[in-house]
Amino acid sequence: MDWNDLRFFLTVARTQSLTKTAAVLKVSQSTVARRIGALESSLHTRLFVHHQTGYFLTDAGQDVLDYAEEVEGKILALESHISGTDMRPAGKVRLATAMTLASHLIIPALPRFNARYPDIVLEVITGINTVSMSRHDADIALRLIRPEQQSLRIRKVGRIGSAVYGSKTYLDRHPTVDGDLQQGRGFITWDPAYGHLPSAKWLNETCPDASSVLVTTSLVAQIAAVKAGLGLAVLPVFIAEQETDLVMVIPADRVFSEDLWLVTHAGLRASARVRAVADFLVEIVAEANLG
């Protein structure tokens, strides 16, 4: 069995398309079909069923997928270990994180990082729901959810607090009623599809009768709505405190805080470039007012 055939197999299994696989691997579609055929011949079994909507794994294909992903993980871990033993902070580092952390915490600090490490090229990936550290899609991650994989090196680097905010204009138009900070005021809320988010859960559980003045599907929209004077919203402290026209209505110690985790591959501990990025992230987290 050829590892390259497994590589073609894995990509088809993930894209469910010969055309997309050809584009990813930069080969022709006929090459992809030939390599899949060679693998099926060597295993004496059919791995895919071809429908109009794409290529789907057979039961045998699913068994091969589990094996292929294990092989892939070991090969990628070996490559990371070998390439990560450099002692000079230079080269490419892929960082996976949330869009909010990238936009409001990491990217504003990058001029300082680039001046300190001019030979490191940082790639920031914000689609963390599709990024797998175990598949080595990224070298390092800054996350609000603690991964469970034992092969990863995980370190708690801080906590991010969230509080309820409103604009000065809105609060002037809607003063407190009998000391109640919420009465007579509306909230910018999350679409039900985002009800799993901590801010949505807190609002639903703590203020179940809160009046919704706007429903959104992004934090960017919520911040814009609060700044526009539409109502109150639960926002991360470190972002809201950067807006001079926003006022904290309910503090973080009465709302909630989340742990912030720095995640790296155990095999990359010797990499100077990854260590430089990790140390810098710890530094800027410590400097920031995360609430």
Side-chain angles (χ1 to χ4, degrees):
M1 183 185 299
D2 188 337
W3 157 243
N4 283 321
D5 289 343
L6 285 180
R7 187 163 59 94
F8 279 84
F9 166 79
L10 281 170
T11 309
V12 174
R14 290 164 181 165
T15 63
Q16 298 179 341
S17 167
L18 296 189
T19 303
K20 291 180 181 178
T21 296
V24 170
L25 299 181
K26 296 180 173 58
V27 297
S28 67
Q29 187 172 331
S30 61
T31 297
V32 177
R34 186 173 66 253
R35 300 304 287 264
I36 294 300
L39 182 60
E40 290 182 327
S41 296
S42 68
L43 295 174
H44 307 290
T45 189
R46 193 175 184 184
L47 302 176
F48 293 98
V49 175
H50 183 202
H51 294 288
Q52 289 183 340
T53 54
Y55 283 74
F56 300 94
L57 290 169
T58 62
D59 289 344
Q62 186 61 55
D63 290 339
V64 173
L65 177 64
D66 296 337
Y67 170 82
E69 287 185 332
E70 181 179 351
V71 173
E72 178 191 43
K74 290 180 178 179
I75 290 176
L76 291 174
L78 174 61
E79 291 175 346
S80 294
H81 175 72
I82 297 301
S83 65
T85 55
D86 57 291
M87 299 307 294
R88 184 172 62 90
K92 181 176 68 175
V93 177
R94 290 168 62 82
L95 165 64
T97 192
M99 176 66 78
T100 52
L101 293 171
S103 300
H104 298 274
L105 178 66
I106 298 170
I107 291 176
L110 286 188
R112 190 194 340 164
F113 178 83
N114 292 339
R116 190 181 301 177
Y117 303 107
D119 295 326
I120 294 179
V121 178
L122 190 63
E123 294 185 3
V124 179
I125 312 166
T126 55
I128 60 174
N129 289 335
T130 60
V131 173
S132 170
M133 290 291 288
S134 61
R135 285 206 311 263
H136 289 242
D137 293 339
D139 302 307
I140 188 169
L142 192 63
R143 290 183 164 172
L144 290 169
I145 298 176
R146 190 185 193 281
E148 298 299 327
Q149 294 96 322
Q150 295 182 353
S151 61
L152 299 176
R153 189 182 185 197
I154 303 169
R155 174 184 175 188
K156 180 180 172 182
V157 294
R159 287 178 65 80
I160 293 183
S162 289
V164 176
Y165 286 86
S167 70
K168 295 176 182 177
T169 303
Y170 181 82
L171 296 176
D172 287 342
R173 293 201 316 265
H174 300 82
T176 57
V177 178
D178 297 328
D180 190 330
L181 299 176
Q182 302 170 40
Q183 187 175 346
R185 295 170 171 175
F187 278 83
I188 292 93
T189 59
W190 287 96
D191 181 274
Y194 294 79
H196 62 282
L197 295 178
S199 55
K201 286 184 177 180
W202 181 87
L203 189 58
N204 290 334
E205 294 171 1
T206 309
C207 312
D209 299 323
S211 172
S212 176
V213 295
L214 179 69
V215 178
T216 71
T217 59
S218 77
L219 183 61
V220 172
Q222 294 218 348
I223 294 170
V226 176
K227 291 174 64 177
L230 292 178
L232 308 180
V234 180
L235 304 175
V237 171
F238 82 98
I239 296 177
E241 291 300 304
Q242 297 176 24
E243 305 291 343
T244 57
D245 56 337
L246 297 189
V247 177
M248 184 183 291
V249 178
I250 303 177
D253 60 4
R254 292 175 51 193
V255 184
F256 65 88
S257 295
E258 301 170 271
D259 291 331
L260 187 60
W261 304 94
L262 182 68
V263 186
T264 56
H265 296 284
L268 288 178
R269 283 179 291 183
S271 169
R273 64 183 185 275
V274 173
R275 189 169 61 250
V277 174
D279 290 345
F280 188 76
L281 291 174
V282 172
E283 178 183 318
I284 62 175
V285 167
E287 292 175 354
N289 176 24
L290 299 182

